[in-house]
Amino acid sequence: MSASLLLLIILALAAVGFVIGRGRALRSVQGDRRRLHSLPNYYGFNVAMLAFVPAVLVLALWVVVQPMVVNSAVSGLIPHDSYADAGALNLIMSDVKRVAHGLDAVAAQGIVQKIPLSEMNVGNTDIRGLLGSVGVALGSDVTQDVLNAAQEFRAKSAQGALWMSIIVLVVALAGFFAAIRMTNGDLRARNLVEHGIKAVLIGAAMIAVLTTLGIILSLIFNTISFFGMFPMADFLFGMTWSPEGRGGSEHLGILPLLWGTIYISIVALSVAVPIGLFAAVYLSEYASRTTRAFAKPLLEVLAGIPTIVYGLFALTVVGPMLVGFFGADGLNWMQGARSVMTAGLVMGIMLIPFVSSLSDDIINAVPQSMRDGSYGLGATQSETVRQVVLPAALPGIVGAILLAASRAIGETMIVVMGAGAAARLSMNPFEAMTTVTAKIVSQLTGDADFASPEALVAFALGMTLFILTLGLNVVALMIVRKYREQYE
Amino acid sequence: MNDMTKTEKALEMKTSKISAKNVQVHYADTHAIKDVNVEIEDKTVTAFIGPSGCGKSTFLRCLNRMNDTIDICRVTGDILLDGEDIYDRRVDPVQLRAKVGMVFQKPNPFPKSIYDNVAYGPRIHGLARNKADLDDIVEKSLRRGAIWNEVKDRLHAPGTGLSGGQQQRLCIARAVATEPEVLLMDEPCSALDPIATAQVEELIDELRENFSVVIVTHSMQQAARVSQKTAFFHMGNLVEYDDTTKIFTNPEDPRTESYITGRIG
Ligand SMILES: Nc1ncnc2c1ncn2[C@@H]1O[C@H](COP(=O)(O)OP(=O)(O)O)[C@@H](O)[C@H]1O
Ligand SMILES: [Mg+2]
């Protein structure tokens, strides 16, 4: 039985359980719902919950764990001398899986064979041709080892699926009957459902935390294995970035990339922060209600544009325009359309709505009594904004700016299209540079071997970005807390 | 009888600080103040009393044009400060508010130090020639606000860190620092405990020496304790305006009597 069919069955069981549980509770008090401890639906939910949730958890766990177990059992069948390292074994195992799936397809389509599937071997059948006929194309002929492993894989998977069905159904039925047996008018179904809901919420929170943890751990382990192959000092303090294909790169210094990231972010923030902040001040302090109702959503539309569109804009509009002013025809500071300035300006435009919408909310949260106090002392509107409203809103605004900085640091598409791919340490903002994120993409795309330092460096780069943004967030929190202490 | 009113009028004319004539206030469709005439005397505490929603705050806010900050609010009639129409085109509401200071119901110190709170007005109006001058103004104002002794050692601590009563006295000191001629107070004690209230009331009595004070209050006792003149508002009308002792002992209008004896709330 497949997992989705099983899921349907449990769902149906839960639905039936709901009706039965509700009815049973009502019958236990002769239909007088006032004598029930909880509302009738709670009894139904309680049964549905106990039938559904444990079974689904078992199902989910099984679906995740079974392939791992089968995989490790089957990979033991591959002789050790046929592969060099873990990577090669992985390749063989993926062949095994494809053959296994191909054989499954052959069985499912009922293609009649002279020799039954279980007795096939490389000698008596053209496995590659057979699998090709059901749409599974293989790169090379199948060896006997792989075929054996594939047969074993199929057997173990089928066995696992059978046990999965049995156990999941047993769990679902056990929950179903246990819940029905305990249903009577005095059962505190409402409280039980409450516990159930709490457990589900905790589960969701756990998943969020655990996946984050998993991502960080994978970053850390891959970074460590990178530093096993490449000296850390050369990575952190190297002034050149020039990876050389497969292995043997001497220059994987992060400084040019980090510089590009920081330079572009600075340009972006110096566009986005003043404009965004002034726009927010105008919208929240000066604009009439009608202007505001019309301008604010308009600004927020900017925030919904995919960054790749901004990238196009950088490449086709802003870049050529800058070249017109600063290129060979003008000041001759700029060689091509791609530059720090191009990417920074466009990224700044992208961040304007981000800064303005966050700041607007924060400025609006400053109590009207502050403004009244200032006006009451004879201050003008701009004096009030500058000396009372903005200082009161400052912690929030700093938070908004640091969030915008985090986004600028993590932005990729605009950089790829607007700033170019050349890693360079230079002060000239009209030169092409590149950033950490853009290089992560280029190191992992293409045919790089994932175990080489050229690929693994991506994790070290990612780790650096992570630490950078984490640091920014910590600083933001510290600033916010400091001001909060002062002003509350 | 006739003679007496005449002399009284003459006396009033001499010391009148603010004079309001036929003042009407509308908030969109709400007619909040209906044809109010009142003479507010200099160096006097005038109390506005009346049930909630009768327009006391609205009228008070007309006196320093704080209603200008509300889009839907429309004020008509004449309000004269020292004989000059404050709604005249030539009058800058911002300058006016430096002359007619305001203290609000909820203490609203700025998120700045105590010193900067008090120095705020003098700084924006350029009242101090130098730092020492500003220090003087701050100290004098804090003394007038009867809070100097409590804060003199922590002038650079945030004003928001003070207790409610201290915050309100800080706000009074802040209002006093711009050397206003009139001080408007909208229920300044309603967020305060009895001890802080007593301190603020004492302060109001001292302020009378230099300013004309208008105070909105919900407490009959407070009006009786601090004011010399009392105005009773009811549903947007000024029902009765007279000496405080007269209002509280021998009111002319039956509505006033019902209110002060607790029959209309
Ligand atoms: N900002 C405003 N917008 C619309 N109506 C208002 C506003 N402020 C006050 N009002 C109305 O004006 C009337 C008088 O209010 P207010 O002056 O605050 O009364 P009081 O201070 O005596 O309790 C009330 O009916 C109130 O609803
Ligand atoms: Mg009021």
Side-chain angles (χ1 to χ4, degrees), chain B residues 90-243:
Chain B
R90 280 165 304 178
V91 172
D92 176 6
V94 168
Q95 288 299 327
L96 172 74
R97 289 185 205 129
K99 267 199 269 181
V100 185
M102 189 154 198
V103 175
F104 298 83
Q105 182 168 357
K106 239 183 97 215
N108 57 350
F110 300 136
K112 298 170 178 294
S113 70
I114 293 171
Y115 183 97
D116 287 338
N117 261 282
V118 181
Y120 186 82
R123 275 191 182 133
I124 54 179
H125 297 295
L127 299 184
R129 255 165 294 143
N130 50 40
K131 176 81 170 78
D133 220 11
L134 192 60
D135 288 349
D136 274 353
I137 294 178
V138 170
E139 178 175 346
K140 204 173 80 192
S141 309
L142 286 169
R143 280 187 194 284
R144 276 197 188 154
I147 192 182
W148 172 251
N149 286 331
E150 287 152 74
V151 301
K152 64 175 181 236
D153 300 324
R154 47 169 173 156
L155 288 178
H156 295 283
T160 40
L162 298 171
S163 75
Q166 289 174 323
Q167 287 189 9
Q168 192 62 302
R169 279 178 287 147
L170 175 64
C171 291
I172 295 174
R174 186 176 73 183
V176 165
T178 53
E179 297 285 340
E181 297 162 20
V182 181
L183 199 55
L184 309 176
M185 300 181 153
D186 193 350
E187 299 182 34
C189 299
S190 63
L192 304 186
D193 63 54
I195 294 174
T197 302
Q199 287 166 330
V200 171
E201 283 179 7
E202 203 175 310
L203 175 58
I204 292 171
D205 203 48
E206 286 164 23
L207 292 174
R208 180 158 63 96
E209 283 176 25
N210 300 292
F211 311 101
S212 158
V213 178
V214 184
I215 176 173
V216 171
T217 174
H218 268 292
S219 152
M220 264 11 100
Q221 290 87 341
Q222 184 170 59
R225 279 194 301 263
V226 300
S227 71
Q228 287 77 53
K229 295 284 246 181
T230 297
F232 172 63
F233 286 81
H234 186 54
M235 298 174 63
N237 297 302
L238 175 61
V239 174
E240 194 167 346
Y241 176 53
D242 214 325
D243 288 340

